[in-house]
């Protein structure tokens, strides 16, 4: 969708969308804008008992010869506790209202004194995030849950500042949309190879992207990742991405590592068939890494950031690995594969190791749809967060509340180590069945962290939105892109 930024209301036809906040001299503002109709509008507001709580919407057709054909007024109770999320939600509501009325283009007017430039940019962010649809596979266009909204003309004396603030949010939105597209894509059209090609496309926005094929992965001795991949006809790939926003320093500020299981049948420890189609989004972690790197590159972050994604398909077949097999990871540690469905941690074991070796990041964050158990623990509202550094965990918790992508701190201390002890290898890939399934996954990953500050985000519950939410239409959510962009922005711009 498109935003046009203008200073004063100049358009003569079409729909005028007016957001008025509590306590502002709204009638005065409106009457200056549209002298001819101001009494009529005032009267209509009185008749419907317009107020800022329950009855805060008004949709009026204006008489012929007016400056616009129609005016929609939305009242908001903008008080001092109005947060970034409230602004995003307000934007989302605007999209929903305009879409319900099948409106393609609207002129948006707000009082500059009530809404500052960055607040308006956050509202535009909410408007655009809610226009996302994944419609590509419908042949009958009537079945589509249509997004009609294409253009918003924003009128504000602050339009220059809004435009510069919008630059960043537009970049993040592009990243979120990429993540949603990838998460929604069915696995027949998004094999490891095809997903690696999506990553390679990001070269054109200035990212350094390298694709490692099976031969290279064998040379690197990524035995854990290769063990998962060996049951599938679709070959595995690992992709690395790099952006240096500060060339004057050598250090790498962050590495983002993503699980990219393009389909997870469970392998020989096969999953029940009910709901198995959901496992198309088991590459959600890698999709977040790609969306995030896209956003960071588009908005030209000053940070040095890198990404590593491990792309495999987990299939049962004559060549698949068996429960009980022992594999040797790139780190040299051996793993007894008790359950072939605990495959994400096997993939991450090797790419976490590789990311630290290649980039030596100050901080490493992995994202993975790792366990069903995280949904049992905390549901689908928040991501599970596991970290070896309390300050880092606290920082992320705060940022999550700010952007509306919340994380919940979960334990990953050494008392859980005994859970993954194996009788014949350095560790086994599942816990001993005494609960804490998500922590068992996290403690396994921790074995592959040297002394880097690390965080694991279990996004199994938040990657797919089962129903519409503010700023997130039903489907792939893009959870993580906005959160981690905020982390980078706060520390490095
Ligand atoms: N990809 C699944 C986890 C998952 C579940 C993601 C639901 C999204 C929604 C993961 O590979 C898996 O199968 N985990 C097992 C681990 C178990 C075998 C220790 C699980 O959660 O059952
Ligand atoms: Mg699995
Ligand atoms: Zn999985």
């Amino acid at each position: 969708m498109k935003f046009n930024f203008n200073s004063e209301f100049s358009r003569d036809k079409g729909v005028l969308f007016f957001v008025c906040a509590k306590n502002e001299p709204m009638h005065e503002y409106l009457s200056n804008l549209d002298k001819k109709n101001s009494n009529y509008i005032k009267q209509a507001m009185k008749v419907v008992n317009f107020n800022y709580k329950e009855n805060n919407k008004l949709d009026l057709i204006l008489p012929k010869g007016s400056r616009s054909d129609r005016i929609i007024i939305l009242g908001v109770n903008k008080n001092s506790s109005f947060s970034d999320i409230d602004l995003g939600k307000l934007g989302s509501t605007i999209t929903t209202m305009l879409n319900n009325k099948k409106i393609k283009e609207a002129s948006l007017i707000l009082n500059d004194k009530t809404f500052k430039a960055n607040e308006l940019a956050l509202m535009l962010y909410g408007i655009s995030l809610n226009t996302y649809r994944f419609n590509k596979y419908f042949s009958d266009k009537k079945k589509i849950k249509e997004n009609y909204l294409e253009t918003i003309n924003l009128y504000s004396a602050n339009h220059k500042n809004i435009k510069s603030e919008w630059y960043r949010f537009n970049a993040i939105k592009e990243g979120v949309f990429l993540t949603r597209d990838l998460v929604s894509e069915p696995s027949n059209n998004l094999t490891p190879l095809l997903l690696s090609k999506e990553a390679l496309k990001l070269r054109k926005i200035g990212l350094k992207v390298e694709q490692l094929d099976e031969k290279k992965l064998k040379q690197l001795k990524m035995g854990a990742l290769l063990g998962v991949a060996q049951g599938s006809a679709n070959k595995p790939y690992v992709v690395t991405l790099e952006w240096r926003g500060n060339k004057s320093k050598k250090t790498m500020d962050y590495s983002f590592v993503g699980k990219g299981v393009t389909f997870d049948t469970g392998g020989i420890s096969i999953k029940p068939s009910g709901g198995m189609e959901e496992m198309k989004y088991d590459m959600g972690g890698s999709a977040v890494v790609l969306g995030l790197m896209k956003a960071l590159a588009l908005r030209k972050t000053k940070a040095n950031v890198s990404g590593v994604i491990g792309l495999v398909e987990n299939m049962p077949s004559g060549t698949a690995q068996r429960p009980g097999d022992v594999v040797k990871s790139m780190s040299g540690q051996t793993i007894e594969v008790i359950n072939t469905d605990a495959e994400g941690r096997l993939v991450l074991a090797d790419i976490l190791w590789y990311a630290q070796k290649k980039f030596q990041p100050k901080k490493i964050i992995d994202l993975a749809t790792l366990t069903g158990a995280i949904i049992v623990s905390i549901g689908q509202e928040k991501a599970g967060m596991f970290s070896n550094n309390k300050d880092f965990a606290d920082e992320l918790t705060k940022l999550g509340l700010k952007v509306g992508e919340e994380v919940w701190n979960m334990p990953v201390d050494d008392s859980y180590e005994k859970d993954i002890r194996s009788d014949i290898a350095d560790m086994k890939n599942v816990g001993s069945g005494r609960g804490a399934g998500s922590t068992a996954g996290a403690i396994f990953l921790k074995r592959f962290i040297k002394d880097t500050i690390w965080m694991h985000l279990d996004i199994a519950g938040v990657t797919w939105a089962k129903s519409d939410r503010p700023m997130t239409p039903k489907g792939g959510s893009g959870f993580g892109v906005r959160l981690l962009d905020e982390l980078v922005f706060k520390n490095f711009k």
Side-chain angles (χ1 to χ4, degrees):
M1 81 166 298
K2 196 167 176 269
F3 292 110
N4 296 316
F5 298 88
N6 312 279
S7 53
E8 258 176 58
F9 180 61
S10 59
R11 246 182 147 73
D12 281 316
K13 290 282 145 211
V15 179
L16 186 63
F17 196 104
F18 195 96
V19 178
C20 64
K22 199 179 169 180
N23 297 331
E24 65 184 18
M26 131 86 181
H27 297 308
E28 193 189 312
Y29 197 76
L30 247 191
S31 34
N32 285 338
L33 200 76
D34 190 352
K35 285 202 173 59
K36 195 170 160 225
N37 293 311
S38 74
N39 280 335
Y40 165 59
I41 295 169
K42 229 191 256 181
Q43 168 72 3
M45 290 175 88
K46 214 180 197 167
V47 170
V48 302
N49 187 25
F50 188 93
N51 65 60
Y52 295 89
K53 288 202 176 96
E54 316 85 58
N55 200 9
N56 61 351
K57 288 174 196 150
L58 191 60
D59 182 0
L60 296 173
I61 306 299
L62 297 179
K64 209 173 167 191
S66 304
R67 289 191 69 182
S68 50
D69 299 329
R70 180 175 183 176
I71 182 167
I72 300 171
I73 303 175
L74 175 67
V76 291
N77 193 357
K78 188 173 186 287
N79 48 33
S80 54
S81 66
F82 218 71
S83 66
D84 288 11
I85 301 167
D86 292 326
L87 288 158
K89 282 185 182 165
L90 172 58
S92 266
T93 306
I94 294 174
T95 305
T96 306
M97 281 175 72
L98 291 170
N99 263 329
N100 287 345
K101 296 173 198 290
K102 303 194 177 174
I103 292 169
K104 276 193 177 157
E105 178 172 350
S107 300
L108 183 62
I109 300 203
L110 307 101
N111 189 342
D112 293 324
K113 293 196 185 74
T114 318
F115 292 94
K116 289 186 236 100
N118 80 310
E119 295 182 319
L120 281 169
L122 278 161
M123 191 187 310
L124 300 186
Y125 195 34
I127 291 178
S128 62
L129 285 171
N130 203 14
T131 60
Y132 180 81
R133 300 289 183 274
F134 187 77
N135 278 332
K136 64 191 271 198
Y137 289 109
F138 288 112
S139 47
D140 179 353
K141 296 289 172 218
K142 280 191 222 99
K143 295 235 171 76
I144 293 177
K145 187 177 173 226
E146 191 94 60
N147 174 64
Y148 298 92
L149 185 59
E150 283 167 5
T151 311
I152 293 272
N153 307 302
L154 183 77
Y155 297 94
S156 163
N158 271 336
H159 69 288
K160 288 213 175 88
N161 294 338
I162 301 167
K163 201 172 175 180
S164 69
E165 293 273 348
W166 172 242
Y167 182 78
R168 175 184 165 218
F169 293 119
N170 184 50
I172 309 170
K173 178 211 79 186
E174 291 292 321
V176 170
F177 281 17
L178 172 62
T179 303
R180 289 178 181 174
D181 280 344
L182 296 174
V183 163
S184 306
E185 193 64 50
S187 304
N188 56 335
N189 293 333
L190 200 68
T191 59
L193 174 62
L194 292 171
L195 185 46
S196 76
K197 286 186 176 165
E198 291 299 318
L200 289 171
K201 285 185 189 163
L202 297 176
R203 280 178 176 161
K204 65 173 182 285
I205 58 166
L207 282 160
K208 184 173 170 189
V209 187
E210 279 174 33
Q211 179 204 48
L212 315 181
D213 63 10
E214 193 184 29
K215 191 172 153 215
K216 184 79 198 176
L217 302 180
K218 280 182 179 154
Q219 281 166 12
L220 288 167
K221 300 195 160 73
M222 291 199 186
L225 181 147
L226 288 163
V228 178
Q230 77 188 32
S232 172
N234 293 309
K235 298 289 177 211
Y237 290 88
V238 167
V239 177
T240 65
L241 306 101
E242 195 175 341
W243 173 270
R244 290 196 180 262
N246 184 348
K247 295 213 169 65
S248 67
K249 66 176 186 189
K250 286 230 164 60
T251 45
M252 176 56 72
D253 301 313
Y254 297 103
S255 265
F256 302 104
V257 174
K259 168 178 172 182
V261 176
T262 61
F263 195 81
D264 180 13
T265 63
I268 295 298
S269 314
I270 198 161
K271 287 180 182 297
S273 55
M276 203 205 271
E277 71 285 355
E278 285 188 17
M279 286 303 112
K280 73 171 182 180
Y281 68 72
D282 209 19
M283 32 54 72
S286 66
V288 173
V289 171
L290 294 181
L292 175 65
M293 293 300 285
K294 180 174 186 179
L296 293 170
L298 282 177
R299 71 170 183 77
K300 301 192 167 47
T301 179
K302 297 270 184 290
N304 291 343
V305 289
S306 49
V308 180
I309 55 178
L311 311 175
V312 300
E313 188 178 51
N314 189 21
M315 289 295 223
S317 77
T319 61
Q321 71 179 343
R322 293 143 289 251
D325 282 5
V326 173
V327 293
K328 188 168 184 180
S329 67
M330 186 185 172
S331 73
Q333 300 175 90
T334 56
I335 305 160
E336 186 184 9
V337 181
I338 299 293
N339 189 319
T340 65
D341 197 11
E343 84 297 339
R345 61 200 75 179
L346 297 168
V347 173
L348 286 171
D350 280 338
I351 58 174
L352 278 168
W353 193 261
Y354 184 65
Q356 290 167 97
K357 195 170 168 222
K358 183 173 166 80
F359 294 114
Q360 283 139 5
K362 294 258 177 253
K363 290 180 176 147
I364 190 163
I365 301 171
D366 75 72
L367 300 113
T369 48
L370 205 72
T371 64
I374 199 69
I375 305 175
V376 178
S377 309
I378 58 173
Q380 309 211 269
E381 304 299 320
K382 300 174 173 62
M385 171 178 69
F386 305 77
S387 179
N388 59 5
N389 184 289
K390 188 176 178 300
D391 290 343
F392 195 29
D394 289 345
E395 181 184 16
L396 249 285
T397 305
K398 282 204 196 91
L399 294 177
L401 288 164
K402 180 169 193 281
V403 305
E405 290 186 340
E406 291 182 34
V407 294
W408 195 258
N409 196 32
M410 303 283 290
V412 65
D413 58 86
D414 293 343
S415 66
Y416 295 91
E417 267 288 339
K418 58 182 181 308
D419 268 28
I420 55 168
R421 238 175 248 158
S422 158
D423 292 334
I424 65 160
D426 297 337
M427 71 197 88
K428 57 182 180 180
N429 76 332
V430 292
S432 299
R434 277 182 258 105
S438 303
T439 289
I443 203 86
F444 179 96
L445 299 180
K446 201 177 169 194
R447 288 276 191 110
F448 300 88
I449 301 298
K450 297 175 194 172
D451 44 18
T452 320
I453 295 178
W454 160 73
M455 174 178 293
H456 157 57
L457 295 175
D458 193 333
I459 56 171
V462 293
T463 295
W464 193 263
K466 290 219 163 101
S467 55
D468 286 348
R469 292 170 166 234
M471 296 183 269
T472 310
K474 176 179 175 180
S477 68
F479 184 108
V481 176
R482 294 163 50 216
L483 175 65
L484 296 175
D485 178 87
E486 190 70 27
L487 172 72
V488 175
F489 184 76
K490 183 182 145 254
N491 288 286
F492 298 95
K493 287 281 179 257

